[in-house]
Amino acid sequence: MERSIDAVLFDLDGLMVDTESISGNAWRLAGQELGVVVPEEMILGMVGLSVTLSVAYAARYLGDSALAEQLSQAGRRHYHRQL
Protein backbone atom coordinates (compact mmCIF):
# COMPACT_ATOMS: atom_id res chain seq x y z
CA MET A 1 0.00 0.00 0.00
CA GLU A 2 1.43 3.35 -1.04
CA ARG A 3 1.08 6.35 1.30
CA SER A 4 1.35 9.96 0.33
CA ILE A 5 3.12 12.53 2.46
CA ASP A 6 0.80 15.28 3.63
CA ALA A 7 3.38 17.43 5.39
CA VAL A 8 7.01 17.66 6.33
CA LEU A 9 8.17 19.38 9.49
CA PHE A 10 11.68 20.76 9.82
CA ASP A 11 12.79 21.57 13.37
CA LEU A 12 15.64 24.03 12.82
CA ASP A 13 15.70 25.52 16.31
CA GLY A 14 19.29 25.18 17.41
CA LEU A 15 20.45 24.00 14.01
CA MET A 16 20.40 27.19 11.95
CA VAL A 17 20.65 29.58 14.90
CA ASP A 18 22.16 28.73 18.29
CA THR A 19 19.07 29.83 20.21
CA GLU A 20 20.22 28.14 23.42
CA SER A 21 23.23 30.48 23.73
CA ILE A 22 21.16 33.50 22.76
CA SER A 23 18.54 32.64 25.36
CA GLY A 24 21.10 32.14 28.13
CA ASN A 25 22.79 35.41 27.28
CA ALA A 26 19.40 37.16 27.23
CA TRP A 27 18.69 35.97 30.79
CA ARG A 28 22.15 37.17 31.90
CA LEU A 29 21.61 40.58 30.28
CA ALA A 30 18.17 40.83 31.88
CA GLY A 31 19.76 40.13 35.25
CA GLN A 32 22.35 42.87 34.68
CA GLU A 33 19.59 45.27 33.67
CA LEU A 34 17.63 44.52 36.84
CA GLY A 35 20.66 44.27 39.14
CA VAL A 36 20.13 40.55 39.79
CA VAL A 37 22.62 37.71 39.43
CA VAL A 38 21.08 35.02 37.25
CA PRO A 39 22.81 31.74 38.19
CA GLU A 40 24.15 29.52 35.41
CA GLU A 41 22.48 26.56 37.11
CA MET A 42 19.09 28.23 36.64
CA ILE A 43 19.80 29.01 32.98
CA LEU A 44 20.86 25.40 32.33
CA GLY A 45 17.71 24.16 34.05
CA MET A 46 15.57 26.05 31.54
CA VAL A 47 17.16 24.58 28.40
CA GLY A 48 14.43 23.20 26.16
CA LEU A 49 11.55 24.75 28.13
CA SER A 50 8.91 27.03 26.63
CA VAL A 51 8.74 30.65 27.77
CA THR A 52 5.85 29.82 30.11
CA LEU A 53 7.66 26.88 31.68
CA SER A 54 10.91 28.87 31.90
CA VAL A 55 9.19 31.63 33.87
CA ALA A 56 7.62 29.05 36.20
CA TYR A 57 11.00 27.36 36.65
CA ALA A 58 12.71 30.70 37.36
CA ALA A 59 9.98 31.61 39.86
CA ARG A 60 10.52 28.34 41.75
CA TYR A 61 14.30 28.65 41.55
CA LEU A 62 14.38 32.27 42.73
CA GLY A 63 11.41 32.01 45.07
CA ASP A 64 9.94 35.16 43.53
CA SER A 65 7.38 35.00 40.71
CA ALA A 66 7.30 38.77 40.14
CA LEU A 67 11.09 38.86 39.68
CA ALA A 68 10.94 35.86 37.34
CA GLU A 69 8.37 37.65 35.19
CA GLN A 70 10.43 40.85 35.13
CA LEU A 71 13.53 38.88 34.11
CA SER A 72 11.56 37.08 31.43
CA GLN A 73 10.19 40.30 29.93
CA ALA A 74 13.61 41.96 29.91
CA GLY A 75 15.15 38.74 28.61
CA ARG A 76 12.74 38.57 25.69
CA ARG A 77 13.75 42.08 24.64
CA HIS A 78 17.42 41.09 24.75
CA TYR A 79 16.69 37.79 22.96
CA HIS A 80 14.91 39.46 20.05
CA ARG A 81 17.59 42.12 19.77
CA GLN A 82 20.29 39.42 19.54
CA LEU A 83 18.41 37.42 16.92
Side-chain angles (χ1 to χ4, degrees):
M1 180 163 106
E2 190 173 316
R3 293 192 62 192
S4 66
I5 298 173
D6 295 323
V8 177
L9 175 66
F10 293 97
D11 180 5
L12 300 178
D13 184 35
L15 179 64
M16 302 294 282
V17 177
D18 184 5
T19 53
E20 186 178 309
S21 294
I22 294 171
S23 180
N25 195 46
W27 280 92
R28 285 182 211 91
L29 290 169
Q32 289 174 5
E33 181 180 316
L34 297 172
V36 176
V37 174
V38 177
E40 286 300 309
E41 181 181 79
M42 185 182 91
I43 292 169
L44 291 174
M46 294 186 291
V47 171
L49 298 181
S50 68
V51 171
T52 302
L53 291 176
S54 291
V55 174
Y57 179 89
R60 285 190 309 275
Y61 190 96
L62 299 169
D64 187 335
S65 59
L67 176 58
E69 186 58 43
Q70 288 175 319
L71 285 167
S72 176
Q73 289 176 10
R76 278 180 272 185
R77 283 194 315 277
H78 290 290
Y79 181 86
H80 288 111
R81 182 183 51 77
Q82 292 178 88
L83 277 180

